[in-house]
Amino acid sequence: MISLAVNETIARAVEVLRENDHGDYTIPTKGLYPFQWNWDSCLTALGLAHYDEARAWTEIETLFAHQWPDGMVPHIVFHVLNDSYFPGPEVWRTNRPTATSGITQPAVAGFAVRRLFDRAKDKNLAAERARALLPKIDAWHRWFYENRDPRDEGLVAIIHPWESGRDNSIDWDDAFERVPTEGVEPYTRRDTLHADPAHRPTKAQYDRYLWLLQHFRALGWDNAKLHDASPFRIVDPGFNAILIRSAADLADLAKTLGEMGIADANRSRAQKGLSAMERLWSDTYGQYLCLDRATGTLVDSASVGGILPVFSAIPKPRIAAIAATIERIAGKARYIVPSHDLDDPRFDAKRYWRGPVWLVVNYMIADGLAAAGFADVARHISQSSLDLIADSGFAEYYDPLSGEPLGGGRFTWTAAMVIEFLKGER
Ligand code: DGY
């Protein structure tokens, strides 16, 4: 039985999705992010499906229509001209039929497509749409392991912080010391016109984002070269967990649809990734840590990237330890799950990925915890997420101490996650 207040919240969330809907793709928010973003779209599709299943499939299909010939799915598709965002296509210069960026983002598509399929009311439509997407998602997964795990270690590296989605996490600070800034072309940021500069990454970070972009561009966006050529190569447990979960989900879906080759390949990717993930565990922090592949050392930084692995089938004792870590953090934050541990002096409650709470991250963590039987902590996270919406609206992210809405407003994936928290079965 859905109450009136719940129905009203869902209606407000649907309004946000409709406002940002451009027909066959959805922008994250007006002004700040006026194009299609990869993982935003895949998670948004789950929200769309609650009122228009066909439109939800289209969201993911549009993204995959811009997959590169090598299998990569870019992190931004620049469907239209819009100079409210920097860096635009004239900076990336990837030479694609429709302009795209030249890096990727967390591989959440496999998970999203399986969830759309499992929940579909129209099973024939779902089978047809899923069958067409399967080989494309499989090609993206293959691309990851071939290009971002060239020494066959079982885990992939990101080569740019924007790939992680957690752009300015404290996790990248040490590695960023190695990224030079000489030769960065003069630029004018646009993000700070749309959001408070105190909530966004710093200029020092932007210089390095752009140095990496220019470096990869000078190498012709040739993915066979980029991993080894990048001074920034980080194995992020959260990023890998999303890929592992998607590989496992794609394997299940492929099996249901009788595509045994795709099922076997993805099952073995997931298994290999799960065993390799053990290397990233920290007893000290009760969570996983990033590995700096350039130095071979674990990064001393307890971020939500090391909590996200509960989204994949990690061992039960690891999930229990992470659940306890979340409850410890909950003792200090009014809203959970903050993107960084509050005990770390580098924690910053307002600055993008250095402390704030994100509903998409909460959704994936709660999903994994609920599936593993940690229903109470999962409920605590969904309640915290819904409290944020009630107190502060559909923001991009939130201060975990005060609940203040931060970054962009009327944010698509936040709205999609609210619908999921209120309506989705896990
Ligand atoms: C940005 O421009 O802030 C985006 O997060 C990059 O994907």
Side-chain angles (χ1 to χ4, degrees), residues 49-376:
H50 289 286
Y51 61 92
D52 188 342
E53 283 186 7
R55 176 65 188 81
W57 288 102
T58 305
E59 185 75 24
I60 300 180
E61 288 160 359
T62 304
L63 176 69
F64 276 84
H66 302 281
Q67 183 168 29
W68 284 22
D70 68 358
M72 187 184 80
V73 184
H75 101 293
I76 307 174
V77 183
F78 298 105
H79 292 283
V80 289
L81 293 174
N82 189 324
D83 61 9
S84 77
Y85 179 80
F86 173 86
E90 68 293 348
V91 183
W92 291 93
R93 284 182 246 144
T94 52
N95 203 19
R96 301 288 312 139
T98 299
T100 73
S101 69
I103 55 173
T104 193
Q105 245 183 349
V108 78
F111 157 75
V113 162
R114 186 207 167 157
R115 185 144 288 184
L116 287 185
F117 181 85
D118 286 351
R119 291 219 192 114
K121 294 196 185 67
D122 188 340
K123 282 289 179 211
N124 289 334
L125 173 91
E128 187 194 316
R129 312 282 287 256
R131 203 183 291 285
L133 279 166
L134 275 182
K136 299 180 183 181
I137 302 175
D138 176 52
W140 189 22
H141 292 178
R142 186 181 331 111
W143 173 87
F144 264 118
Y145 289 100
E146 280 174 7
N147 293 278
R148 299 308 182 73
D149 181 21
R151 250 65 80 202
D152 202 18
E153 294 167 25
L155 296 171
V156 300
I158 52 160
I159 58 171
H160 193 296
W162 286 343
E163 292 200 312
S164 71
R166 299 187 297 114
D167 299 8
N168 65 335
S169 169
I170 292 162
D171 294 350
W172 327 134
D173 288 2
D174 290 347
F176 250 21
E177 297 284 320
R178 283 196 304 273
V179 177
T181 53
E182 290 78 34
V184 171
E185 292 155 9
Y187 65 94
T188 308
R189 286 173 65 171
R190 305 280 157 77
D191 58 317
T192 44
L193 299 176
H194 308 290
D196 185 339
H199 304 168
R200 293 284 304 169
T202 61
K203 172 167 176 1
Q205 286 160 344
Y206 253 78
D207 286 350
R208 286 164 178 83
Y209 300 151
L210 291 165
W211 188 91
L212 288 170
L213 188 164
Q214 287 179 206
H215 182 57
F216 303 149
R217 191 181 66 198
L219 292 166
W221 298 110
D222 177 354
N223 275 302
K225 296 187 186 143
L226 301 191
H227 176 278
D228 287 0
S230 178
F232 182 91
R233 296 194 297 283
I234 303 280
V235 177
D236 169 6
F239 190 92
N240 276 278
I242 291 172
L243 178 56
I244 289 167
R245 169 70 182 265
S246 277
D249 281 352
L250 200 71
D252 289 346
L253 182 57
K255 191 167 168 222
T256 307
L257 295 173
E259 299 287 348
M260 296 319 291
I262 294 181
D264 292 346
N266 282 281
R267 182 77 53 220
S268 81
R269 286 172 190 139
Q271 276 162 359
K272 197 163 167 184
L274 282 171
S275 355
M277 187 82 90
E278 273 302 291
R279 260 182 273 156
L280 311 184
W281 180 256
S282 161
D283 274 329
T284 313
Y285 288 109
Q287 64 164 86
Y288 296 87
L289 297 175
C290 287
L291 172 78
D292 188 328
R293 193 172 261 168
T295 61
T297 52
L298 288 179
V299 181
D300 187 15
S301 171
S303 78
V304 79
I307 286 177
L308 254 172
V310 296
F311 189 50
S312 62
I314 54 168
K316 200 79 175 257
R318 300 290 186 233
I319 302 186
I322 290 178
T325 299
I326 295 172
E327 289 296 13
R328 172 181 61 77
I329 292 172
K332 299 179 190 186
R334 187 154 145 227
Y335 302 93
I336 53 174
V337 181
S339 43
H340 205 83
D341 194 329
L342 281 80
D343 284 342
D344 188 328
R346 297 168 294 183
F347 167 86
D348 181 337
K350 296 197 195 308
R351 204 181 276 278
Y352 215 31
W353 288 92
R354 300 174 80 85
V357 175
W358 297 72
L359 257 60
V360 279
V361 172
N362 278 5
Y363 173 72
M364 290 184 275
I365 295 172
D367 181 89
L369 288 172
F374 294 83
D376 289 351

